[in-house]
Amino acid sequence: MKLVFAIVSNDDSTLLIQALIEAKYSVTKLSTTGGFLKSGNTTLLIGTEEKEVDNVISIIKSYSKQRVQPMPVISSKEFGMIQSQFIDVQVGGATIFVIDVDRYEKV
Ligand code: 2BA
């Protein structure tokens, strides 16, 4: 058995979860925060058989869009006022980790 971790945009998560559920996968949704942008994202946990992993990843791919997100950067402090500028950061589609599950029980 495998556990798929997928970090996706909050904006993509609703349709993606719906598609995974319709395809009969079990999904747990965690509300998470990216360390770099410090903004909210969604992490999905999907426990499934090894033969299903490619299908799970292809569903995730088809619902995860790439985005450009502005990030504030403090550029200088003039006359006691902080001047901030924005840089564009490319985010996503999805960041996916697949790990082995040693033991899976529902008790
Ligand atoms: P964040 O950490 O908020 O990162 C958002 C985006 O900022 C990243 O998009 C990447 O394009 C950029 N970025 C991240 N760290 C950077 C750095 N040190 N220098 C320059 N740019 C940087 P994605 O790569 O698509 O990642 C989206 C989210 O997925 C991340 O949000 C984080 O929550 C998670 N993630 C990505 N790679 C990960 C990893 N290796 N381990 C754990 N979480 C990861």
Side-chain angles (χ1 to χ4, degrees), residues 3-54:
L3 182 60
V4 180
F5 283 77
I7 304 164
V8 300
S9 162
N10 289 343
D11 295 339
D12 294 330
S13 64
T14 305
L15 288 179
L16 171 56
I17 291 168
Q18 199 176 310
L20 289 165
I21 298 287
E22 274 168 19
K24 308 274 184 256
Y25 296 109
S26 290
V27 183
T28 295
K29 175 186 179 216
L30 305 175
S31 295
T32 46
T33 303
F36 189 68
L37 292 177
K38 296 176 181 60
S39 63
N41 53 27
T42 297
T43 299
L44 302 180
L45 309 186
I46 305 127
T48 191
E49 295 307 318
E50 188 166 5
K51 63 180 170 49
E52 297 293 331
V53 167
D54 286 344

